[in-house]
Amino acid sequence: MIEEKNLKTFIKGTQNYFSSVTGATPEIGTPYEIDASQIHGDFTASIGISGSQRGCVYFTAKREMLEILLSQIGEISNDEELLSDIVGEIANTIAGNAREDLGSGFMISPPHLQNGRINLETLYQKESSFVIPIHWKGYACFVIISLDVMQLNN
Amino acid sequence: MKLLIVDDSVVIRRAIERTMKSQFFESIQTAQNGALALKIFKNSPIDVVTMDITMPEMDGLTCIESMIKIKPSTRILVITALADKGTAVEAVKRGAQGFLLKPFTEDDVNEALNDLLEDL
């Protein structure tokens, strides 16, 4: 089971990403246990976690939101490659930033990218994954934390 | 001076390239992983490198070590999401001179590059 204090690490990273990159602070909803009916996204990325923890960190978002995000960072194109790539970069940044609290033993893989909504059947932990809902500029997107056990190691 | 941007994210490569076009580099090349970066490095007179850490095929730390062995005067700025102090210490040990944490703004990259190159 993921501890509340460890979920806060990922919430902090999510807030920091959107605030730093876009200047607009996102609204973070109360995390909840995974519920397929509430998660929607056109592009999804997963980061494999190994070392001190095992599992995956996912980020998924709708096309419209990603197009605005790309524009905000000065990107003039919004083709499929860039839309897919930016969800990977967001997932990578949130997972990588978590090492500030979780330590160097929290090893992350390069992003695995997929078009379409997250496939709940392939979630690392089907039973105890947690969703962090994010609202940014009127759009919803989601960070999903799917880990075996989380313990602080520093 | 010639710049090489290394990152597996095309969005990040393009963002850094846009920022650096207003700087004084004669040429800017990009690579999506450490192995490709090293190949370019061996065949081009690169002076400055921005380097991601977590990449497929060859990670940034391994790539930094190889580049410094080939050309010790290379200036390398690590740009990574890995926020632990251990990563920064290891990057410096391998030969990087600068460290910038993702997420970053255009100003952050400019400032980090200026710091990296101020004594040249």
Side-chain angles (χ1 to χ4, degrees):
Chain A
M1 180 66 91
I2 299 169
E3 293 178 32
E4 185 183 343
K5 65 184 176 185
N6 296 330
L7 272 177
K8 283 181 179 170
T9 293
F10 294 99
I11 291 170
K12 181 175 73 175
T14 304
Q15 283 173 321
N16 184 46
Y17 180 85
F18 284 93
S19 300
S20 299
V21 169
T22 71
T25 305
E27 189 181 312
I28 308 290
T30 304
Y32 52 86
E33 282 196 58
I34 194 113
D35 176 352
S37 66
Q38 295 194 44
I39 302 172
H40 44 83
D42 299 321
F43 294 88
T44 301
S46 62
I47 303 291
I49 305 299
S50 59
S52 60
Q53 320 288 335
R54 295 195 73 80
C56 278
V57 173
Y58 303 83
F59 178 77
T60 188
K62 299 278 274 185
R63 172 185 295 272
E64 293 78 9
M65 193 204 96
L66 296 170
E67 286 175 350
I68 292 172
L69 189 55
L70 281 173
S71 163
Q72 291 250 308
I73 63 175
E75 182 55 68
I76 54 171
S77 175
N78 58 13
D79 62 27
E80 296 289 307
E81 183 190 15
L82 295 180
L83 292 167
S84 182
D85 185 271
I86 195 166
V87 293
E89 187 54 27
I90 294 170
N92 170 71
T93 303
I94 292 168
N97 284 185
R99 283 170 57 134
E100 183 180 7
D101 294 332
L102 302 178
S104 305
F106 188 80
M107 308 291 286
I108 69 170
S109 75
H112 174 72
L113 310 176
Q114 62 181 86
N115 286 355
R117 69 162 55 210
I118 191 166
N119 181 353
L120 298 184
E121 288 306 308
T122 62
L123 270 182
Y124 181 80
Q125 263 282 5
K126 289 179 198 153
E127 304 304 320
S128 61
S129 295
F130 281 81
V131 179
I132 300 172
I134 303 147
H135 292 273
W136 177 79
K137 297 199 171 206
Y139 294 96
C141 55
F142 306 88
V143 174
I144 295 120
I145 310 298
S146 186
L147 300 172
D148 274 344
V149 177
M150 293 189 65
Q151 295 171 333
L152 291 178
N153 62 353
N154 65 349
Chain B
M1 280 193 293
K2 294 180 168 56
L3 173 68
L4 175 60
I5 298 166
V6 189
D7 201 299
D8 59 339
S9 163
V10 63
V11 168
I12 295 295
R13 292 197 302 276
R14 286 165 64 100
I16 296 171
E17 192 171 3
R18 278 194 301 276
T19 304
M20 291 301 106
K21 274 187 176 159
S22 60
Q23 295 269 2
F24 42 81
F25 293 106
E26 298 162 39
S27 74
I28 300 177
Q29 295 184 77
T30 64
Q32 65 213 43
N33 60 59
L36 186 57
L38 201 52
K39 195 173 172 185
I40 293 171
F41 188 83
K42 284 174 178 169
N43 293 303
S44 311
I46 300 293
D47 306 295
V48 182
V49 179
T50 70
M51 180 70 74
D52 189 13
I53 299 289
T54 307
M55 294 181 288
E57 297 198 41
M58 180 190 284
D59 67 82
L61 291 174
T62 306
C63 190
I64 290 168
E65 195 165 26
S66 299
M67 286 178 170
I68 291 296
K69 274 182 189 161
I70 295 166
K71 187 180 175 186
S73 63
T74 310
R75 295 291 171 122
I76 302 178
L77 171 66
V78 169
I79 303 181
T80 179
L82 302 179
D84 57 299
K85 284 179 189 163
T87 299
V89 169
E90 190 59 33
V92 170
K93 264 189 201 169
R94 307 267 184 125
Q97 294 91 3
F99 191 90
L100 176 63
L101 194 60
K102 294 177 182 177
F104 58 80
T105 64
E106 195 174 308
D107 288 345
D108 294 333
V109 180
N110 276 320
E111 192 178 328
L113 250 298
N114 287 336
D115 287 348
L116 188 79
L117 303 176
E118 70 179 350
D119 59 339
L120 286 182

